[in-house]
Amino acid sequence: MNRIHDRIFLPSSVARSLFYLLVSGYFLIASAALIADEREEFFEKHIRPVLVEHCYECHSAQAKTVQANLLLDTPSATRSGGDSGPTVVPSNIAESLIIQAMEYETWQMPPSGKLPAETIANFRRWIADGAIDPRPETSAPSPQIAFDRMALGKTHWSFQPIQRPSIPTTGSDWPRYPIDGFIEDAANQQQLPIAMDADRASLLRRLYLTLIGLPPSAEEVLSFLDDQEPDAVERVVDRLLASPHYGERWGRYWLDLARYADSNGADENHEYPVAYRYRDYVVRQFNADLPYDEFVTQQLAGDLLATDSLLATDSIEQRRENLTATGFLVLGPKMLAEQDKPKLVADLVDEQIDSTGQALLGLTLGCARCHDHKFDPINTSDYYALAGIFHST
């Protein structure tokens, strides 16, 4: 009986054990990968910027004179150190000379002044966690290599001028608008049938939800069903576009890009008591169908836009509108508790550049604060050219 029991249940028990072992191993690997990602992110946010700002001038391959034979621009050079010994010993704070230098115990680095206690604490944490350093084992590229990489990046399709494509012809009488030709052509390539026209009640509901985010009332549905005029749909669209709900519905998409909130949302979460003025500005401009170029210009430089006369009532109102538009630069999380005031200003500028790049270009310009962008043709000189503009605002 024991042998029968073993033959029946032992394989199942082994299978369960193997299953649990595999699952446990998977989660251990996933957990380790997550921890590694978090530590790399910590390095990029809290360690690399400090090294670039305070150390690279004297301790990088780009320095005019490398002091103490110490390079801090690659992982191996940072660990091996210079004339005095290893600069960083992973998981060993006491043996890491960089901490002694930052604490002004043996050396005083940077010589311009001791770094904030929070920054030194970040370096202690980084070393204690294994000193994860995702930088490549090569120093900064030469100007020619950087130029070639930038030139290559600009050939990507997303950086090419927009061109008007030719409208596909399918020989069908289904297309009623130019975009329909592209839809039918793609459907034919995938051997998909064209969807049937929606019934009038469904069409009306889709128009309402798309344009104003609200469903039509029963009375509005019945009125539309009774309207058999050929321009019935166009009149509904015009009426919805003229509704104040249109700006409320579609302005919300821009407010998301503009990181709109009624408070700071960062370290101390201060309230923005008049942020609603910017919100209402956006809604008004969507309802007024303000051209996009003017919409953007007002938000980036509304305080500099000229008006016809500073005394005319219309000009005063327009100037108020322009100033309100610059709320785009004021909104968003700002680390207002930062005690290093020059750094606070630099961080404010960085947040503005990053938000502007993502909202207007779909690009993460903030990456170039510390290094040439890894993927897009944006280098640090581009970043600081923008930073100079925002810094003077």
Side-chain angles (χ1 to χ4, degrees):
M1 184 66 183
N2 288 337
R3 282 184 294 174
I4 294 176
H5 179 275
D6 290 344
R7 290 180 61 189
I8 295 175
F9 292 101
L10 183 58
S12 176
S13 174
V14 171
R16 283 197 301 270
S17 299
L18 288 173
F19 172 76
Y20 292 139
L21 182 62
L22 289 172
V23 171
S24 300
Y26 169 79
F27 282 110
L28 284 173
I29 294 172
S31 176
L34 180 61
I35 292 174
D37 288 343
E38 290 176 347
R39 290 177 178 176
E40 286 188 8
E41 182 180 0
F42 184 85
F43 175 86
E44 296 292 354
K45 292 179 65 175
H46 301 288
I47 305 302
R48 190 203 284 255
V50 177
L51 294 174
V52 172
E53 181 178 357
H54 297 285
C55 305
Y56 278 17
E57 183 179 356
C58 300
H59 302 291
S60 73
Q62 306 303 311
K64 293 181 179 179
T65 302
V66 177
Q67 301 293 328
N69 292 317
L70 172 61
L71 293 173
L72 296 174
D73 54 354
T74 65
S76 59
T78 302
R79 288 191 294 269
S80 61
D83 295 341
S84 301
T87 310
V88 170
V89 180
S91 305
N92 191 331
I93 297 175
E95 296 296 327
S96 297
L97 298 182
I98 193 170
I99 298 299
Q100 299 178 26
M102 287 181 171
E103 294 284 9
Y104 278 33
E105 293 177 356
T106 51
W107 303 274
Q108 295 185 354
M109 294 293 169
S112 57
K114 189 175 181 180
L115 295 173
E118 179 184 3
T119 300
I120 299 175
N122 286 336
F123 271 78
R124 287 179 171 274
R125 172 182 167 183
W126 170 58
I127 293 172
D129 287 342
I132 299 298
D133 189 340
R135 292 176 296 173
E137 281 294 353
T138 55
S139 58
S142 69
Q144 182 58 44
I145 294 175
F147 175 81
D148 292 342
R149 186 168 60 81
M150 290 291 152
L152 180 62
K154 291 178 181 178
T155 64
H156 190 265
W157 67 265
S158 64
F159 296 104
Q160 305 310 305
I162 296 176
Q163 298 182 4
R164 184 179 295 276
S166 58
I167 300 174
T169 56
T170 61
S172 165
D173 60 357
W174 177 79
R176 281 170 285 184
Y177 304 98
I179 193 173
D180 294 342
F182 294 95
I183 295 173
E184 187 175 30
D185 182 58
N188 290 341
Q189 292 181 28
Q190 299 297 323
Q191 298 183 343
L192 297 173
I194 297 295
M196 299 288 291
D197 287 353
D199 61 81
R200 286 174 64 84
S202 297
L203 175 60
L204 185 70
R205 181 178 176 83
R206 292 175 186 176
L207 289 173
Y208 267 73
L209 293 176
T210 299
L211 294 177
I212 66 173
L214 299 170
S217 66
E219 293 78 8
E220 289 167 329
V221 174
L222 293 175
S223 176
F224 179 68
L225 294 178
D226 290 338
D227 188 350
Q228 298 300 317
E229 295 296 325
D231 64 342
V233 173
E234 284 78 0
R235 283 187 281 109
V236 168
V237 170
D238 288 340
R239 177 164 53 82
L240 295 178
L241 290 175
S243 167
H245 298 311
Y246 171 77
E248 296 166 355
R249 154 82 162 142
W250 284 94
R252 291 179 61 186
Y253 289 103
W254 180 260
L255 291 172
D256 285 343
L257 292 174
R259 70 259 189 257
Y260 174 80
D262 291 314
S263 66
N264 179 42
D267 47 8
E268 297 182 352
N269 197 29
H270 286 289
E271 182 184 4
Y272 289 151
V274 291
Y276 71 91
R277 295 184 185 275
Y278 176 78
R279 177 201 65 199
D280 293 350
Y281 157 83
V282 170
V283 172
R284 284 195 301 273
Q285 304 318 316
F286 269 78
N287 282 329
D289 199 19
L290 181 72
Y292 180 69
D293 58 340
E294 295 180 34
F295 182 63
V296 170
T297 302
Q298 289 178 5
Q299 294 178 77
L300 295 180
D303 56 319
L304 301 177
L305 295 180
T307 52
D308 296 335
S309 171
L310 294 179
L311 299 179
T313 302
D314 291 346
S315 296
I316 292 174
E317 290 301 319
Q318 184 59 56
R319 177 157 178 76
R320 288 175 178 170
E321 197 82 334
N322 293 343
L323 289 173
T324 302
T326 60
F328 174 82
L329 299 175
V330 180
L331 292 169
K334 320 289 187 186
M335 300 301 290
L336 303 177
E338 174 62 62
Q339 297 303 304
D340 185 340
K341 296 311 175 185
K343 182 177 182 298
L344 172 60
V345 174
D347 289 343
L348 292 175
V349 167
D350 179 70
E351 197 276 336
Q352 292 170 336
I353 291 176
D354 200 41
S355 298
T356 300
Q358 293 189 54
L360 301 181
L361 303 174
L363 296 174
T364 51
L365 302 181
C367 300
R369 181 181 186 180
C370 301
H371 52 79
D372 289 347
H373 203 293
K374 294 181 179 179
F375 314 112
D376 298 323
I378 302 163
N379 52 33
T380 52
S381 61
D382 291 333
Y383 176 92
Y384 285 101
L386 281 173
I389 295 172
F390 282 106
H391 194 282
S392 65
T393 300

